[in-house]
Amino acid sequence: MIIIVLILSYLLGSIPSGLIIGKMFYGIDIREHGSGNLGGTNTFRTLGVKAGLAVTIMDVLKGTLATSLPLLFHVDVHPLVAGAFSVVGHMYPVFAGFRGGKAVATSGGVLLGYVPLLFLLFFAVFFISLYISKYVSLSSMITASIALITSFIVRDIPLIIVVAVFTLFIFYRHRANIIRIKEGTEPKIKWL
């Protein structure tokens, strides 16, 4: 049952929300537009706010549901481990040629399922950073860093380990964005 839950978590994460919304409602493969990424940010840029919000919410809920699977199936596996499998699925989705998103929304969904109050704090940090900087990528990395610091403060060892891994994923997946921010070529959002 543990293996089944972990596979299900990965498959949940692999659901390509951006691809589904783009093709079903707009007739567009968002991998062929903007950054070519399947995540919410590229959806916002390519298809607009409504589609971007739908994809972001779907991506968050994938992580939350995966984190809930051990409880739903009464399986002795830590919720964060199941959640981590959904994050890997989001970044490397089997249903989309292993080309996925950058893991920010799905990682947030995992934290929503495990520590809802902290998720609200991180959500606020993200939007304050976004309001000030207008950079989604920078706001994502700032939020990941704050999440890591906070996990040390609450002294939850599994949370520290998983958030540290998520933070590494997020910085790694944003390495091109970091270069663009330094060069002043990173696109800023226009809707906030």
Side-chain angles (χ1 to χ4, degrees):
M1 276 308 292
I2 290 174
I3 292 169
I4 290 169
V5 163
L6 296 180
I7 290 171
L8 280 175
S9 297
Y10 169 79
L11 293 175
L12 268 174
S14 287
I15 296 169
S17 311
L19 191 61
I20 292 167
I21 295 293
K23 285 198 168 186
M24 279 183 67
F25 298 101
Y26 298 85
I28 289 174
D29 184 339
I30 66 165
R31 294 173 298 180
E32 297 169 1
H33 301 271
S35 66
N37 192 277
L38 270 181
T41 303
N42 194 40
T43 309
F44 272 105
R45 285 192 195 123
T46 306
L47 303 176
V49 175
K50 205 180 288 184
L53 279 173
V55 169
T56 301
I57 290 167
M58 288 171 71
D59 287 348
V60 167
L61 293 178
K62 292 190 305 190
T64 306
L65 183 55
T67 306
S68 306
L69 288 180
L71 183 64
L72 293 172
F73 286 95
H74 307 289
V75 174
D76 187 22
V77 62
H78 199 285
L80 289 173
V81 173
F85 271 74
S86 72
V87 171
V88 172
H90 177 74
M91 291 189 299
Y92 306 103
V94 69
F95 303 127
F98 301 99
R99 286 177 52 211
K102 293 186 176 175
V104 177
T106 306
S107 296
V110 172
L111 297 179
L112 174 60
Y114 186 67
V115 280
L117 287 177
L118 287 182
F119 170 81
L120 293 176
L121 168 67
F122 305 146
F123 186 80
V125 167
F126 177 82
F127 275 99
I128 291 167
S129 302
L130 189 60
Y131 182 76
I132 293 167
S133 72
K134 303 293 188 270
Y135 290 127
V136 174
S137 54
L138 180 61
S139 302
S140 299
M141 291 183 281
I142 288 170
T143 305
S145 302
I146 295 294
L148 183 57
I149 292 164
T150 307
S151 67
F152 277 100
I153 292 169
V154 299
R155 296 181 182 182
D156 182 325
I157 299 299
L159 184 65
I160 291 168
I161 293 167
V162 170
V163 171
V165 171
F166 287 175
T167 303
L168 286 172
F169 279 156
I170 288 166
F171 273 82
Y172 176 75
R173 301 284 285 183
H174 284 89
R175 59 199 185 281
N177 303 84
I178 293 168
I179 293 167
R180 288 195 296 269
I181 289 169
K182 287 179 180 175
E183 293 173 346
T185 57
E186 176 78 345
K188 292 188 175 186
I189 62 159
K190 297 171 183 170
W191 50 271
L192 185 64

